[in-house]
Amino acid sequence: MAENAWVILHKGAVDHRAGLAPTRDLLPTVVSLSTCGLLLPPLLFWATASQSRMGIPRALLVLCIATAFLSLGPRGSLGRSHFHKSQQSHGRRGNGGHRLQSPVGSSADPPAAGASTTATPSNSSSDSCVFDVRSFGAVGDGVTDDTEAFRSAWRAACSVESATLLVPSDGVFMITSTIFAGPCQPGLVFQVDGVVMPPDGPQCWPKSDSKHQWLVFYQLEGMTLRGEGTIEGNGEDWWSLPCKPHRGPHGSTLPGSCDSPVLIRFFMSCNLTVRDLRIENSPQFHIKFDACEDVHIEGLSINSPAFSPNTDGVHIENTRSVTIYNSMISNGDDCISIGPGCSDVDIQNVTCGPGHGISIGSLGMHNSEACVSNVSVKNAVIRNSDNGVRIKTWQGGMGSVSDISFDTVYMENVRNCIIIDQYYCSNKGYCQNQSSAVYVSGVTYANIKGTYDVRSPPMHFACSDTLPCTNITMSEVELLPQEGELVDDPFCWNAYGVMRTVTIPPIPCLQDGQPESLQEIPNLGC
């Protein structure tokens, strides 16, 4: 009986019969039981009045131990102690052991990785794992600079397993360029339920801050960015800079620095989830993943006007194992852009437009090497866009684009519905002809249907003179004029492949088989 009382007294501790005493971290639990005045006296009485076989020595021993516990009194705060089950990741872990460099071009001070706070402000939530930025001094009136409150909340949340940094729904929070750096404890959630925004335009941007990026998430594993709120980019004044395309006098583009910040950047991180957010009016790219692995994007709403330059919705580069699902993107540039160094990308149920469609590239700029492989786009809708599904490479580049699938894509009033352009040049007339090229092979177009803008042919394959496009497969492609009649036939140059079914319109310029000039696959370096 006395042994039973001892086990109850130390509920949650190690069984005394194993020869181990309760750990120091569990002592507050034991003390709270013995000082509440409810459990301990009956248990002590029970123990000391137990059957005679217990013996006086054992009863005295139990009484002495309990008295020692009482003499400790209430213990001081040891900080928050949390016990959580580890969350399972949705993907593979990134490769460890690499020395990580700080993001380039950002002057914002990164928070100390994993730093804990000795005096953490009380949180508005009863859950001690929720770190509300208001509890750290954020005002949320849309005018006050809340940067330091966000940084403090991040430091506190980063050091706790399964923590949530909360941006509450009843505020508009203005913060300056900030690096939210890891490594952090597993299961970290950055929950945006209110509005978060940068300073309003280049004139209000602090001179000490980077103009290349605003929110940077760096060296993190297993983090989630989500919420029912909005990340507002305040990009209008950035779009109007005279150095932007056609923003100078009489539609010109003036020379000079044209730095504009990427709104959200994930850098050198893995096992990431971004979901359910509204992101709008970015000065440049809305969200960018650079040197990341295992990225899951779902349920995003990305919006900026059709005239906003360089505002790609989702951009990835040097990133592997990416899923982009169930999202709506309208902007002034690529809906989704896939840069060099990307592989294993799965895009499903995405609606784009207006914008420039879904693009692989541009690749090979400045004679660089670019490798992209295993990209799948399925069940997509593209409306009122300058391009549909596009592969674009610069002359002089190296590397390859291979194993690409566009399946079940609906087009509505789209120019250049299907396009491979190996003569891409962002500044027409200033690009020299060069012989080397990124090799494009193994591209499948299946069940591509809808309407096109007759100002451009619906299919355009402009492949390199020296390195033809090969293994292009066309099946169930039916594209009709949105208005009027077809002006230009589909265009092909040095493109080889096969038509599984008759296409509408016909594309007789696609050549069968393999080119004689390409006797063997070149050394691509990928």
Side-chain angles (χ1 to χ4, degrees):
M1 187 76 70
E3 288 184 359
N4 292 336
W6 175 264
V7 172
I8 294 172
L9 178 63
H10 293 81
K11 185 177 181 181
V14 178
D15 190 338
H16 76 288
R17 287 169 293 188
L20 299 175
T23 63
R24 179 174 176 84
D25 288 338
L26 291 173
L27 284 177
T29 303
V30 177
V31 172
S32 64
L33 285 172
S34 57
T35 57
C36 65
L38 296 176
L39 281 178
L40 185 57
L43 287 174
L44 283 175
F45 178 79
W46 186 22
T48 56
S50 61
Q51 297 176 1
S52 59
R53 69 173 180 267
M54 171 183 177
I56 294 175
R58 178 178 292 184
L60 290 176
L61 175 61
V62 173
L63 181 60
C64 290
I65 292 174
T67 304
F69 284 167
L70 286 171
S71 67
L72 291 175
R75 290 188 54 190
S77 173
L78 293 176
R80 291 187 174 87
S81 296
H82 304 274
F83 304 91
H84 301 281
K85 295 181 180 179
S86 298
Q87 295 184 344
Q88 293 184 352
S89 66
H90 67 265
R92 301 189 306 273
R93 291 170 60 92
N95 296 326
H98 297 291
R99 187 172 183 269
L100 303 180
Q101 302 296 323
S102 297
V104 177
S106 175
S107 59
D109 295 330
S116 61
T117 55
T118 55
T120 303
S122 61
N123 299 304
S124 60
S125 171
S126 59
D127 185 353
S128 59
C129 286
V130 176
F131 298 86
D132 188 326
V133 294
R134 277 216 167 96
S135 298
F136 293 83
V139 177
D141 60 1
V143 178
T144 303
D145 185 352
D146 290 323
T147 306
E148 288 306 318
F150 272 69
R151 291 177 179 174
S152 296
W154 175 266
R155 285 192 292 267
C158 180
S159 63
V160 175
E161 185 177 347
S162 299
T164 297
L165 186 155
L166 176 63
V167 180
S169 60
D170 59 348
V172 177
F173 300 87
M174 191 275 289
I175 67 174
T176 59
S177 179
T178 299
I179 299 173
F180 295 106
C184 294
Q185 293 297 315
L188 178 60
V189 175
F190 197 116
Q191 179 86 18
V192 179
D193 289 336
V195 176
V196 184
M197 65 181 188
D200 191 7
Q203 297 302 320
C204 299
W205 204 263
K207 292 183 179 180
S208 60
D209 282 2
S210 168
K211 288 187 177 180
H212 295 281
Q213 54 200 10
W214 177 50
L215 299 184
V216 180
F217 296 94
Y218 167 58
Q219 199 177 336
L220 295 165
E221 180 177 355
M223 179 197 155
T224 297
L225 173 63
R226 70 183 186 195
E228 299 177 356
T230 300
I231 299 180
E232 166 61 51
N234 289 336
E236 292 85 347
D237 289 344
W238 297 95
W239 307 332
S240 300
L241 292 174
C243 54
K244 295 288 185 178
H246 313 299
R247 291 300 193 273
H250 308 294
S252 63
T253 301
L254 299 185
S257 176
C258 211
D259 293 338
S260 299
V262 171
L263 199 62
I264 304 166
R265 181 190 182 198
F266 284 88
F267 180 49
M268 300 188 77
S269 298
C270 65
N271 193 9
L272 304 169
T273 298
V274 180
R275 61 179 305 139
D276 304 329
L277 281 169
R278 180 179 177 87
I279 307 171
E280 59 186 26
N281 299 321
S282 175
Q284 202 189 46
F285 295 173
H286 284 78
I287 185 166
K288 176 181 180 180
F289 295 87
D290 186 2
C292 295
E293 185 171 3
D294 290 318
V295 176
H296 179 66
I297 301 168
E298 184 160 8
L300 292 189
S301 175
I302 296 177
N303 293 279
S304 62
F307 60 80
S308 57
N310 306 123
T311 54
D312 293 31
V314 177
H315 176 77
I316 61 174
E317 62 182 65
N318 301 311
T319 293
R320 300 181 298 171
S321 300
V322 180
T323 59
I324 305 174
Y325 296 157
N326 307 314
S327 297
M328 301 185 68
I329 302 172
S330 60
N331 58 343
D333 212 301
D334 293 334
C335 170
I336 297 170
S337 55
I338 300 169
C342 293
S343 61
D344 303 326
V345 180
D346 186 26
I347 301 169
Q348 295 189 38
N349 301 316
V350 170
T351 298
C352 301
H356 293 178
I358 298 174
S359 292
I360 296 174
S362 62
L363 306 175
M365 185 178 183
H366 301 314
N367 305 106
S368 61
E369 180 181 279
C371 301
V372 175
S373 63
N374 194 21
V375 176
S376 172
V377 177
K378 190 170 184 178
N379 297 326
V381 176
I382 302 176
R383 294 189 175 100
N384 303 314
S385 294
D386 287 354
N387 302 287
V389 289
R390 174 169 61 161
I391 299 172
K392 51 181 178 177
T393 71
W394 294 73
Q395 294 186 76
M398 297 172 288
S400 70
V401 176
S402 61
D403 298 322
I404 311 298
S405 172
F406 300 106
D407 185 356
T408 312
V409 181
Y410 175 75
M411 309 275 185
E412 183 178 313
N413 192 30
V414 174
R415 296 183 69 176
N416 302 310
C417 295
I418 295 173
I419 179 170
I420 297 177
D421 181 8
Q422 294 208 270
Y423 299 88
Y424 178 77
C425 179
S426 60
N427 194 357
K428 298 296 183 182
Y430 291 90
C431 297
Q432 296 180 349
N433 289 327
Q434 300 185 57
S435 58
S436 63
V438 176
Y439 179 46
V440 177
S441 180
V443 184
T444 299
Y445 302 92
N447 197 27
I448 312 294
K449 299 181 179 181
T451 61
Y452 62 90
D453 186 327
V454 297
R455 290 177 294 174
S456 299
M459 290 171 271
H460 184 99
F461 297 131
C463 300
S464 168
D465 291 330
T466 56
L467 204 55
C469 302
T470 62
N471 297 321
I472 297 173
T473 302
M474 309 289 288
S475 175
E476 300 291 339
V477 176
E478 300 177 6
L479 297 167
L480 302 173
Q482 173 74 11
E483 294 178 353
E485 298 180 357
L486 174 66
V487 176
D488 292 322
D489 291 329
F491 174 83
C492 305
W493 179 259
N494 222 12
Y496 290 79
V498 61
M499 289 182 288
R500 299 293 185 192
T501 64
V502 175
T503 64
I504 301 175
I507 182 169
C509 58
L510 182 65
Q511 303 179 67
D512 292 332
Q514 295 286 336
E516 294 182 1
S517 60
L518 193 66
Q519 298 298 325
E520 59 183 23
I521 297 176
N523 183 11
L524 304 171
C526 293

